[in-house]
Amino acid sequence: MSLSSGFGFFSWSNPPPPQPFSGDSTSSTPKTPKTFSMITNDHDRRKQISVRGIAQVENVTNIKKAFNRHLHFSIIKDRNVATDRDYYFALANTVRDHLVSRWIRTQQHYYDKDPKRVYYLSLEFYMGRTLSNTMMNLGIQATVDEALYQLGLDIEELQEIEEDAGLGNGGLGRLAACFLDSMATLGIPAYGYGLRYEYGIFKQLIRDGWQIEEPDDWLRFGNPWEKARPEYMLPVNFYGKVVKEEGKSKWIDTQVVFAMPYDTPVPGYKNNIVNTLRLWSAKAENHFHLKFFNDGDYVQAVMDRNLSENITRVLYPNDNMFLGKELRLKQQYFLVAATLQDIIRRFKSSIYGNREAVRVNFDTFPDKVAIQLNDTHPSIGIPELIRLFVDVEGLTWDQAWDICIKTYAYTNHTLLPEALERWPVSLMQNLLPRHLEIIYEINQKFMNTISDRFPGDFERMRRMSIVEEADQFGEKRINMAHLCIVASHAINGVAALHSDLLKSSTFRDFYEFYPDRFQNKTNGITPRRWLLLSNPSLADLIVEKIGELWITNLDELQKLKEYANDAGFLDSIRRVKLENKQQVAQYLSDEYNVQINAASLFDVHVKRIHEYKRQLLNILHVIALYNRIKENPNIDMVKRTVLYGGKAAPGYHMAKQIIRLITAVAEQVNNDSIVGDRLKIIFLENYRVSMAEKIIPAADLSEQISTAGTEASGTGNMKFMLNGALTIGTLDGANVEMAEEMGDDNIFIFGMNVDEVEALQKRGYSSQEFINKSPMLKQIVDQIENGMFTPEDPTQLRDLSNMLRHHDRFMVCADFEAFIESQDKVADTFRDQEKWSRMALYNIASTGKFSTDRTITEYAREIWGIDQFESSLPAPYENEKAE
């Protein structure tokens, strides 16, 4: 990549400060969107760049100066030796300059106003890339585009260099990231707290059709967006024992690990507010235990420090199966122990820059602190807060318990019983003995309360106990979901159906006991990243019709329904979709050497590979289509490109079998000359946030086909809906509410509902019975069993066929015929492109409910007790004294 100007050696003795922007604050009037073309030095093709507003010459000059300065002073390179990665880091630092003053001012503002702060605790934050999202939220995209163009650089190439921050497995972690965006955009004083995993979710490779895993060394080249804060490093204790001194418990003889915070800025959308995501990294103690000096093994002593630092080495892959691993419990406690010390420090030192305790009375703690538990993963924070209050701060048990309940709220994310956390008592006794003691005391007081209300109902007490009875191995367990419910003032599901099932089934006893604590908070997505950023052409089209208000008020999209019969607008929607599909087709050709017909129906199924998400049902339909073509080579059918993406947990055998079946079918179908371009299948390797931003805008059909009653909500379904893809799905999770919003005529619903699934289970489900009734299904199961797709090893996928015949827990066979019928309806509808476009329009226009802005507003008002938000702050240069 060549540079056209401005990269010589510099003579500055001190770098000049970043120049203020006159056009990147919300205080300016929104400008008419404009799309312009530019030619990069590297390509002859013209590239469309979507912009909001026009880049002003002064601002472009400032960006170029800052970029040059960072290349020279931060990266310490000149144009002769700089690499593309150097240019990326120089750009990242340039963009970060525009965050810093806003970030500092926001924190100053919070200390000045002393509002109630929200602390969002999550073991996962699936942030993806930061550069482009930050430029968009700061409103400097157009300026940076133009500046880099003048410097002869391609911004898209530089954006591709950034590693995804893959600190999550899927929906739960991505939801946390979307929540942070909305909290900053709404102006809610909020902090995300998580772990700075050295290795994020593994990198997935497909070799010989099988998934293999490689470490995701995302920090290999450094992370320009984080700032280490060693001055706030905190001790975290493990192991040891509990002794009684003067009637009080004392936790002694512990092993200490230090938690080092790394802060990442989270900017709101054009409102000059920047919140903080604080991630903790494990660091060993600086001194050695005396025995090492006695042994004289100094080298071994240094090497053993690594054991402490393993706590934040790697993110656990999630297969919705709880595994009681000691390292996982260490991670959970490490997060909450450091976080709660930090929260209490901030509560006490409520004056900006003051480290001394200003508040010493904890009665107002719930008025200033709201802690949201993102699933049960941070739930060990409940006994930790009690421990800190009682053992360290000297509060009485009753005071501590009252504050705890008022402070904590719990979000449940799963209905699968095997996914609920139940920690062995023996493990907790060894690792966290004081916390086990506290949990026992919480449980005893709770059992007494149940006994008072339901005298003699020992079965109810058994069902509701936090401490579960010993299993067949003699092991008692701590039910962390029960602990969360007992110790939180609010418990919420993440979709209306999910919340109803929690109340009627999973936590029925608790709902009867605490009916006022249960709420629903349907999930959402941030429209900034998932439409404005990832689908700029569609965003421009919408802005042209209804203006920009939808970016921060997604309900505005309802206005698009006025254009449902506007042939020109529907044609524009089709054109944008086709352009997106053409780009993805080129990407697939480059990456997988498979030629895709961009006019074909793009049928997309991207999410974690799990039996309940039923990628298996989808590939059975693909095999059915293949069989139709082979039986009648002249058949007239809608051309279809089927894209799969997602990772299987490394130890999840059946999920890996499903991936192997998909890749085996793809290999056969894609190379069959009889099939031609009528059917193509691609498994997208290493699916992640940055890939989702490419694929979702190009999708025609979104697969949301989990067994009814198993998916808590889903958020991928909302991203597809916002980008104008139609959904084929069951009445599960948020699909139910999506259908209500858009109307049943604009979604393809099939299969059993929750009641029918339950009735079939009670009656006694036999998958073989359904196989025998369906010649099409029987043929497919036989083909898999006989090795038609794996001729090199006919038995390779027999575990799948055996599962379908004998252990079809998620009722793939029961829903198969209904799925085929619904897919045929999809194909028939796709032939009528005007009807399809109108349905797509209704999907886009009906997504208002599914913005995280709405979700977070509900959390704030109904759970956290925050009614008023500071929607924006002045730009830094508008009031220099705040600097």
Side-chain angles (χ1 to χ4, degrees):
M1 187 180 288
S2 62
L3 285 167
S4 58
S5 64
F7 280 87
F9 291 96
F10 301 104
S11 59
W12 299 324
S13 56
N14 293 302
Q19 298 298 306
F21 250 47
S22 59
D24 65 349
S25 123
T26 48
S27 60
S28 60
T29 307
K31 300 185 178 65
T32 306
K34 175 187 174 187
T35 300
F36 69 90
S37 298
M38 84 179 196
I39 305 174
T40 68
N41 289 2
D42 295 23
H43 306 287
D44 291 332
R45 62 185 175 84
R46 294 177 71 81
K47 182 177 62 177
Q48 295 294 316
I49 299 294
S50 173
V51 296
R52 305 248 179 285
I54 300 167
Q56 297 178 13
V57 174
E58 175 192 1
N59 294 342
V60 172
T61 302
N62 289 339
I63 287 285
K64 289 165 65 178
K65 285 179 180 177
F67 184 90
N68 288 341
R69 185 181 71 249
H70 277 297
L71 186 68
H72 191 77
F73 287 102
S74 302
I75 312 303
I76 314 178
K77 291 281 187 78
D78 67 20
R79 63 181 180 181
N80 299 304
V81 293
T83 65
D84 285 357
R85 179 164 275 104
D86 295 327
Y87 298 142
Y88 159 71
F89 274 95
L91 176 58
N93 280 297
T94 301
V95 172
R96 196 180 71 167
D97 286 349
H98 295 276
L99 278 174
V100 170
S101 293
R102 291 170 170 84
W103 197 7
I104 292 172
R105 171 178 281 193
T106 301
Q107 302 312 309
Q108 287 175 337
H109 177 76
Y110 291 161
Y111 275 93
D112 289 342
K113 297 296 184 184
D114 193 24
K116 186 172 188 176
R117 289 171 164 92
V118 174
Y119 297 98
Y120 195 81
L121 273 59
S122 179
L123 263 286
E124 300 182 20
F125 284 96
Y126 206 171
M127 303 299 288
R129 291 172 175 165
T130 298
L131 174 61
S132 51
N133 192 73
T134 300
M135 291 190 298
M136 175 188 68
N137 278 6
L138 289 176
I140 61 174
Q141 276 175 307
T143 308
V144 174
D145 279 343
E146 179 62 23
L148 290 182
Y149 168 59
Q150 291 183 17
L151 292 169
L153 290 167
D154 185 336
I155 190 170
E156 290 184 348
E157 289 184 13
L158 298 189
Q159 288 170 333
E160 286 297 316
I161 289 169
E162 182 176 2
E163 300 277 352
D164 277 51
L167 306 185
N169 283 279
L172 179 141
R174 185 53 231 173
L175 180 76
C178 285
F179 275 4
L180 292 183
D181 178 89
S182 281
M183 285 188 276
T185 297
L186 291 168
I188 293 175
Y191 301 77
Y193 275 97
L195 295 183
R196 182 182 179 266
Y197 301 104
E198 192 173 323
Y199 295 93
I201 186 64
F202 60 85
K203 182 180 180 183
Q204 178 195 56
L205 301 177
I206 303 297
R207 294 291 178 266
D208 300 323
W210 293 96
Q211 170 183 297
I212 62 172
E213 301 86 28
E214 284 193 351
D216 171 38
D217 192 5
W218 72 289
L219 292 170
R220 178 170 64 252
F221 299 104
N223 176 8
W225 304 106
E226 68 182 8
K227 177 68 179 79
R229 304 286 192 191
E231 69 274 21
Y232 292 113
M233 197 154 63
L234 295 166
V236 176
N237 297 281
F238 294 100
Y239 305 108
K241 61 185 179 183
V242 180
V243 296
K244 297 288 184 184
E245 290 184 1
E246 300 177 358
K248 289 197 169 187
S249 294
K250 191 173 182 182
W251 188 17
I252 63 169
D253 297 341
T254 59
Q255 292 182 18
V256 177
V257 179
F258 282 94
M260 164 93 91
Y262 287 80
D263 289 352
T264 300
V266 181
Y269 180 73
K270 293 187 178 181
N271 63 355
N272 300 310
I273 288 173
V274 182
N275 284 342
T276 302
L277 168 62
R278 175 161 285 186
L279 302 178
W280 300 102
S281 181
K283 303 294 179 188
E285 283 187 283
N286 272 333
H287 64 273
F288 300 139
H289 293 293
L290 191 60
K291 76 179 182 69
F292 287 122
F293 291 99
N294 294 338
D295 296 342
D297 197 347
Y298 166 77
V299 172
Q300 186 61 45
V302 175
M303 291 172 64
D304 284 348
R305 290 163 55 87
N306 289 334
L307 298 175
S308 298
E309 298 181 358
N310 280 341
I311 293 173
T312 53
R313 194 78 71 199
V314 65
L315 168 73
Y316 264 94
N318 178 15
D319 59 358
N320 273 87
M321 177 67 72
F322 170 68
L323 297 173
K325 303 284 190 182
E326 179 174 318
L327 177 58
R328 176 68 167 179
L329 183 55
K330 271 188 171 181
Q331 289 181 338
Q332 294 182 358
Y333 179 66
F334 182 79
L335 166 62
V336 301
T339 299
L340 289 173
Q341 289 181 74
D342 214 34
I343 291 172
I344 289 173
R345 172 193 60 77
R346 194 175 288 116
F347 170 77
K348 286 180 173 180
S349 307
S350 57
I351 298 175
Y352 188 73
N354 180 20
R355 301 250 185 132
E356 302 301 317
V358 177
R359 286 196 188 100
V360 290
N361 184 345
F362 282 91
D363 290 344
T364 60
F365 193 81
D367 299 327
K368 297 298 181 183
V369 174
I371 302 176
Q372 190 70 37
L373 303 173
N374 193 24
D375 218 349
T376 54
H377 308 147
S379 57
I380 195 67
I382 290 167
E384 173 65 3
L385 187 62
I386 299 289
R387 185 188 74 81
L388 289 170
F389 281 158
V390 174
D391 296 1
V392 178
E393 303 295 342
L395 275 63
T396 67
W397 176 276
D398 289 344
Q399 281 179 298
W401 181 243
D402 181 59
I403 294 170
C404 179
I405 291 176
K406 290 176 180 176
T407 301
Y408 276 114
Y410 159 55
T411 300
N412 173 277
H413 280 280
T414 184
L415 289 161
L416 299 180
E418 65 268 30
L420 295 173
E421 290 190 316
R422 295 176 168 90
W423 287 106
V425 164
S426 58
L427 174 58
M428 196 169 284
Q429 174 69 59
N430 180 46
L431 190 67
L432 302 168
R434 176 60 177 136
H435 298 76
L436 181 63
E437 189 177 87
I438 292 169
I439 290 170
Y440 273 135
E441 187 161 354
I442 292 171
N443 193 53
Q444 184 58 54
K445 292 178 183 295
F446 180 52
M447 290 294 102
N448 293 342
T449 309
I450 297 175
S451 181
D452 291 344
R453 275 183 61 179
F454 300 96
D457 193 343
F458 299 112
E459 178 58 25
R460 181 184 294 268
M461 293 172 69
R462 183 194 66 77
R463 292 194 308 265
M464 297 179 72
S465 177
I466 298 168
V467 183
E468 296 183 342
E469 294 176 351
D471 57 22
Q472 69 262 38
F473 305 108
E475 183 73 80
K476 289 185 177 182
R477 294 179 182 273
I478 305 299
N479 188 312
M480 303 308 281
H482 289 187
L483 176 63
C484 287
I485 295 170
V486 172
S488 301
H489 69 275
I491 298 96
N492 71 279
V494 289
L497 175 63
H498 172 225
S499 296
D500 288 344
L501 290 171
L502 289 180
K503 292 188 285 190
S504 65
S505 178
T506 313
F507 300 134
R508 180 176 178 177
D509 290 321
F510 288 93
Y511 176 59
E512 290 177 3
F513 203 80
Y514 298 123
D516 296 338
R517 292 190 182 184
F518 283 79
Q519 302 186 18
N520 174 60
K521 296 288 171 280
T522 297
N523 279 345
I525 57 173
T526 167
R528 270 78 61 184
R529 184 179 287 263
W530 295 110
L531 178 51
L532 187 62
L533 178 65
S534 62
N535 200 346
S537 297
L538 180 59
D540 281 344
L541 187 63
I542 293 170
V543 168
E544 187 181 314
K545 283 294 182 186
I546 64 170
E548 294 189 7
L549 293 178
W550 62 269
I551 299 170
T552 51
N553 179 10
L554 206 58
D555 285 327
E556 287 282 312
L557 292 183
Q558 288 281 354
K559 294 177 179 177
L560 291 174
K561 291 181 180 178
E562 298 172 18
Y563 303 97
N565 296 310
D566 183 330
F569 188 59
L570 295 180
D571 186 61
S572 296
I573 289 177
R574 278 196 296 278
R575 176 180 50 76
V576 166
K577 180 67 73 173
L578 181 59
E579 288 172 359
N580 291 337
K581 289 166 69 174
Q582 288 169 338
Q583 290 175 9
V584 167
Q586 184 60 52
Y587 169 76
L588 296 175
S589 174
D590 295 342
E591 293 292 320
Y592 301 97
N593 197 29
V594 177
Q595 302 308 308
I596 301 298
N597 182 344
S600 64
L601 190 161
F602 276 29
D603 180 347
V604 183
H605 199 166
V606 285
K607 52 186 74 235
R608 282 185 301 112
I609 309 297
H610 195 287
E611 289 169 87
Y612 89 84
K613 294 180 183 289
R614 299 206 294 193
Q615 287 91 351
L616 183 56
L617 177 59
N618 191 358
I619 193 64
L620 295 185
H621 167 248
V622 172
I623 296 171
L625 293 179
Y626 180 57
N627 287 339
R628 285 181 188 174
I629 296 171
K630 297 296 282 185
E631 289 162 12
N632 179 9
N634 297 318
I635 190 171
D636 176 28
M637 61 179 281
V638 168
K639 294 177 180 179
R640 189 182 292 241
T641 299
V642 188
L643 303 178
Y644 296 88
K647 297 175 181 179
Y652 192 172
H653 171 70
M654 201 57 72
K656 287 189 165 183
Q657 286 262 306
I658 292 168
I659 290 176
R660 178 63 191 119
L661 176 60
I662 292 169
T663 58
V665 172
E667 190 173 345
Q668 189 156 325
V669 171
N670 293 347
N671 293 300
D672 192 322
S673 58
I674 294 174
V675 174
D677 69 347
R678 287 181 287 183
L679 183 61
K680 294 291 183 186
I681 306 146
I682 293 180
F683 189 92
L684 301 164
E685 187 178 68
N686 199 38
Y687 184 71
R688 57 203 183 278
V689 174
S690 57
M691 186 182 288
E693 291 167 3
K694 292 184 180 76
I695 299 298
I696 290 173
D700 291 308
L701 185 68
S702 162
E703 299 272 351
Q704 309 296 332
I705 59 177
S706 53
T707 314
T710 59
E711 185 73 86
S713 166
T715 51
N717 45 6
M718 302 167 188
K719 293 161 194 162
F720 284 103
M721 179 183 178
L722 182 61
N723 282 274
L726 306 191
T727 297
I728 182 168
T730 51
L731 283 172
D732 195 28
N735 291 356
V736 177
E737 290 159 87
M738 286 165 52
E740 289 171 356
E741 293 296 309
M742 73 178 77
D744 291 341
D745 292 343
N746 297 300
I747 188 171
F748 301 98
I749 296 294
F750 76 95
M752 297 178 290
N753 61 29
V754 171
D755 293 338
E756 289 165 339
V757 167
E758 190 177 335
L760 182 54
Q761 285 171 333
K762 283 182 178 175
R763 190 166 75 245
Y765 172 55
S766 166
S767 56
Q768 189 62 52
E769 180 184 322
F770 284 88
I771 292 171
N772 293 338
K773 285 194 297 188
S774 170
M776 188 188 306
L777 179 57
K778 184 177 187 307
Q779 178 189 11
I780 294 168
V781 175
D782 287 345
Q783 286 171 333
I784 296 170
E785 189 170 59
N786 296 331
M788 171 177 162
F789 301 104
T790 54
E792 71 285 356
D793 181 0
T795 65
Q796 193 176 88
L797 297 174
R798 200 153 286 175
D799 286 351
L800 274 183
S801 56
N802 286 339
M803 183 269 282
L804 285 169
R805 291 189 189 280
H806 308 296
H807 312 288
D808 182 18
R809 179 183 165 198
F810 295 104
M811 301 187 173
V812 169
C813 297
D815 271 343
F816 175 79
E817 287 289 343
F819 185 54
I820 297 296
E821 184 180 332
S822 189
Q823 286 282 18
D824 289 343
K825 184 179 177 184
V826 167
D828 288 342
T829 307
F830 191 72
R831 292 178 189 274
D832 184 346
Q833 279 291 292
E834 186 165 337
K835 180 181 180 182
W836 186 277
S837 299
R838 188 174 295 109
M839 292 172 71
L841 171 62
Y842 266 89
N843 271 259
I844 298 165
S846 303
T847 47
K849 178 178 182 177
F850 305 109
S851 167
T852 42
D853 296 347
R854 186 269 315 155
T855 312
I856 288 297
T857 299
E858 290 181 6
Y859 271 100
R861 290 180 175 152
E862 297 165 23
I863 293 181
W864 303 330
I866 299 175
D867 288 325
Q868 293 186 329
F869 314 142
E870 191 84 50
S871 58
S872 66
L873 290 174
Y877 52 82
E878 290 179 10
N879 185 359
E880 295 299 332
K881 69 181 177 65
E883 297 292 321

